[in-house]
Amino acid sequence: MTTETFEFQVEARQLLQLMIHSVYSNKDVFLRELVSNASDALDKLRLEKLRDDSLDADVSDLHIEIDVDKEARTLTVRDNGIGMSYDEVGQLIGTIANSGTATFLKELREAQDAAGAEGLIGQFGVGFYSGFMVADEVTLVTRRAGEGQGTRWTSSGESTYTLEKVDDAPQGTSVTLHLKPADPENQLHDYTSPWTIKQIVKRYSDFITWPIRMVPEAADGEDAPEPETLNSMKALWARSRDEVSDDEYHELYKHISHDWREPLETIRLQAEGTFEYQALLFVPSHAPHDLFTRDFKRGVQLYVKRVFIMDDCEALLPPYLRFVKGVVDAQDLSLNVSREILQQDRHIRMMQRRLTKKVLSTIKEIKTKDADRYATFWREFGTALKEGLVTDSENRDAILAVASFATTHAEDEPTTLAQYVERMKDGQDDIYYITGESRQSIENSPHMEAFRDKGIEVLLLTDAVDEVWVDAVGEYEGKKLRSVAKGEIDLDGEKDEKAEGEREKQAEDYAGLLGWMREQLDEDIKEVRLSARLTVSPACVVSDAHDLTPALENMYRAMGQEVPRTKRILELNPGHPLVKNLNEAYKEREDRSGLVESAELLHTLAVLAEGGQPKDPARFVKLVADRLERTL
């Protein structure tokens, strides 16, 4: 038959060289690309046969076959699918991204870095040419189903390719790679090794619908063994729930997550319409030890038409759901999609919103129907989920609906904000909370004394993220979230003229002491005032209503952000003997220098009572030791 030689266009030649040398850091993906193309060809033939029953094509045993020849150093990927005509080979294989090559190269030259370049490459359907990464020459032989004549395409990936009509081509397409020598240093493996082929197929193409077969090596003197099917073809997410057992789901979860325990919940989702995808997600039963570390690998596995694309696709779920594992299989994405493109893709954003809402609704269902499993979930992942209250305003209400918090109402039973609001006392307008390192420390905080006396419930928040989300949320069902350690607190409700008169008298009586202490402690505090929240302790320090708390300041500094030190407010309990005696001594003495140390000690004791640290621990110890010595 006549062989015609064609020359690649200059731009196409440049692009081909780029494909060979620069696109994929992992050269193993060439097999993924070829198997995916073969699978598409089989899908197209099946559909064509359904549409046209008269089509002269054999569909009795549709499959993909991989052959290796160690002596000739060739690898062939063959399918008996739809195949291509002579003209189709020229259009589809003879040119590279022909509609956008010039534009692509222009954008590539303007790319700032290698990551940007790889992201651009992902926009063009040129996966077939990845075979040149591992081959010196590629030969494609194909015959379209229903036609009598086939086509051979050959190229060394340099400047030309040849096209030739052939009479003896079988139905379908075979791609033969004349392999380069193995070079492990450049990640160029020995692709004539059956073990290597099996590993690549298992990783990237295990869930392909069609069987992928390879004939094992025959021992000397023995007949050729039967072909071995390399892939499981068990895409559990593509099968109906009735066809899959819980054990099969759990095995898939263990394979994906490398967790030996069974998942807490399995979530299925199938979206149809303009953009189709299937998802099979798992909520683990235990949090991994590195869930809150910077190096934690989050994201679910992304497939396109059952072809594995990437392990940890972060774009499909928000960071606060990073504990979710699973598989998402999209129908309309490119196989060459990159992480950079995923971040900008409209369909990916749509999928993320849908998957996020599905996970949150499933958690809500667990909370409603199974208290024990919900308790396990919240214990393991509640802290991570609360991050969404800060970062995901769109789903904030859904997160609040499944969130629960420790409270003074019950020692062992957490509460939701809805339950808190139901229990609020008559006349109570705000939801009160306190933050700290542990339940024990904040329950014993001086800030809690008046609330405990009046039986007002307080949320006890001990996670670092609690310092942030309460400000981000602000209110719930019209009820403001208020810290018991910030601003002024008035728990008296309706005005009591007698109590009002008593407070005015106290304010007048302590005015001199408050002003003097404000001057003496000017470096550390912005104001000294009488407290309505203390009943037992002599003093406490509080933050102004809109100031950062010390814990939040420390958090920002730990993240490398410089924030100015905020002066706080010292509140005194006018009913405490220590404060009463200090006030009397202030009024009686003209020389108050001896009271300066007492004021300093009172302030430091207030800082210690809330879990803070003295500004000068050595000086504090000396002052306490001197006082003890004088009392003995």
Side-chain angles (χ1 to χ4, degrees), residues 469-528:
W469 76 258
V470 286
D471 286 333
V473 173
E475 64 176 39
Y476 176 78
E477 292 187 358
K479 308 292 184 181
K480 186 178 178 182
L481 291 163
R482 286 197 61 188
S483 169
V484 303
K486 292 180 71 172
E488 293 196 65
I489 298 293
D490 183 8
L491 303 179
D492 287 336
E494 296 181 3
K495 297 296 182 182
D496 184 325
E497 291 186 8
K498 184 177 180 180
E500 192 74 24
E502 182 66 25
R503 279 196 294 269
E504 290 178 1
K505 183 179 178 182
Q506 285 180 338
E508 183 179 342
D509 187 36
Y510 280 86
L513 175 66
L514 300 180
W516 176 79
M517 288 186 68
R518 167 70 178 80
E519 293 176 2
Q520 301 305 314
L521 301 173
D522 181 63
E523 288 187 7
D524 301 307
I525 61 174
K526 67 162 63 173
E527 182 183 351
V528 183

Side-chain angles (χ1 to χ4, degrees), residues 11-52:
E11 290 169 337
R13 193 183 311 149
Q14 292 174 0
L15 185 56
L16 179 56
Q17 291 302 308
L18 195 64
M19 281 295 306
I20 295 171
H21 300 295
S22 306
V23 176
Y24 296 108
S25 57
N26 178 9
K27 294 179 173 58
D28 291 351
V29 298
F30 84 90
L31 189 57
R32 177 194 78 180
E33 301 286 345
L34 297 182
V35 168
S36 175
N37 289 345
S39 177
D40 285 344
L42 295 171
D43 287 337
K44 289 175 182 177
L45 177 59
R46 180 177 60 178
L47 184 60
E48 192 73 19
K49 187 67 173 176
L50 288 173
R51 290 174 176 170
D52 181 7

Side-chain angles (χ1 to χ4, degrees), residues 175-187:
V175 179
T176 299
L177 308 178
H178 300 267
L179 297 167
K180 297 176 181 179
D183 185 1
E185 290 186 3
N186 292 319
Q187 294 188 332

Side-chain angles (χ1 to χ4, degrees), residues 95-142:
T95 57
I96 304 175
N98 55 358
S99 62
T101 303
T103 304
F104 170 78
L105 288 173
K106 178 177 179 293
E107 293 181 5
L108 185 62
R109 294 187 190 103
E110 296 173 354
Q112 298 297 313
D113 51 33
E118 187 169 339
L120 288 171
I121 292 165
Q123 299 177 33
F124 291 81
V126 289
F128 166 78
Y129 287 89
S130 62
F132 285 104
M133 293 189 302
V134 301
D136 292 320
E137 183 178 276
V138 177
T139 300
L140 177 142
V141 178
T142 183

Side-chain angles (χ1 to χ4, degrees), residues 519-559:
E519 293 176 2
Q520 301 305 314
L521 301 173
D522 181 63
E523 288 187 7
D524 301 307
I525 61 174
K526 67 162 63 173
E527 182 183 351
V528 183
R529 67 190 182 202
L530 297 182
S531 179
R533 74 186 86 214
L534 296 174
T535 60
V536 178
S537 300
C540 68
V541 283
V542 300
S543 299
D544 220 344
H546 302 291
D547 285 348
L548 295 179
T549 64
L552 202 51
E553 285 184 21
N554 293 334
M555 192 184 305
Y556 283 128
R557 292 190 183 104
M559 294 187 294

Side-chain angles (χ1 to χ4, degrees), residues 358-585:
K358 180 65 175 179
V359 171
L360 293 176
S361 66
T362 301
I363 295 171
K364 184 176 182 180
E365 188 175 342
I366 294 173
K367 183 178 180 298
T368 303
K369 296 182 177 179
D370 194 328
D372 290 339
R373 282 203 307 148
Y374 169 75
T376 298
F377 167 81
W378 191 255
R379 181 183 67 248
E380 299 294 327
F381 304 111
T383 302
L385 195 68
K386 285 188 287 187
E387 295 172 13
L389 295 172
V390 182
T391 60
D392 188 359
S393 58
E394 180 182 346
N395 291 299
R396 185 172 289 164
D397 290 342
I399 298 172
L400 283 175
V402 300
S404 59
F405 313 96
T407 171
T408 55
H409 176 72
E411 185 170 345
D412 300 322
E413 189 175 332
T415 191
T416 64
L417 292 185
Q419 292 169 332
Y420 181 103
V421 170
E422 288 179 5
R423 293 194 294 262
M424 285 174 61
K425 291 182 174 294
D426 292 339
Q428 181 182 340
D429 297 323
D430 302 323
I431 298 172
Y432 292 106
Y433 70 88
I434 184 171
T435 60
E437 292 186 357
S438 69
R439 176 173 184 135
Q440 182 179 3
S441 66
I442 57 180
E443 273 194 310
N444 294 326
S445 167
H447 303 116
M448 293 285 292
E449 292 174 2
F451 294 87
R452 190 182 300 112
D453 279 3
K454 295 182 178 293
I456 296 176
E457 184 176 357
V458 178
L459 302 178
L460 308 174
L461 309 179
T462 56
D463 293 324
V465 68
D466 293 329
E467 295 281 354
V468 185
W469 76 258
V470 286
D471 286 333
V473 173
E475 64 176 39
Y476 176 78
E477 292 187 358
K479 308 292 184 181
K480 186 178 178 182
L481 291 163
R482 286 197 61 188
S483 169
V484 303
K486 292 180 71 172
E488 293 196 65
I489 298 293
D490 183 8
L491 303 179
D492 287 336
E494 296 181 3
K495 297 296 182 182
D496 184 325
E497 291 186 8
K498 184 177 180 180
E500 192 74 24
E502 182 66 25
R503 279 196 294 269
E504 290 178 1
K505 183 179 178 182
Q506 285 180 338
E508 183 179 342
D509 187 36
Y510 280 86
L513 175 66
L514 300 180
W516 176 79
M517 288 186 68
R518 167 70 178 80
E519 293 176 2
Q520 301 305 314
L521 301 173
D522 181 63
E523 288 187 7
D524 301 307
I525 61 174
K526 67 162 63 173
E527 182 183 351
V528 183
R529 67 190 182 202
L530 297 182
S531 179
R533 74 186 86 214
L534 296 174
T535 60
V536 178
S537 300
C540 68
V541 283
V542 300
S543 299
D544 220 344
H546 302 291
D547 285 348
L548 295 179
T549 64
L552 202 51
E553 285 184 21
N554 293 334
M555 192 184 305
Y556 283 128
R557 292 190 183 104
M559 294 187 294
Q561 299 184 32
E562 281 301 321
V563 291
R565 180 171 170 270
T566 304
K567 290 184 179 182
R568 304 180 71 201
I569 299 168
L570 177 64
E571 289 193 351
L572 304 182
N573 178 3
H576 194 280
L578 175 58
V579 177
K580 286 182 178 179
N581 292 338
L582 182 60
N583 188 40
E584 292 300 320

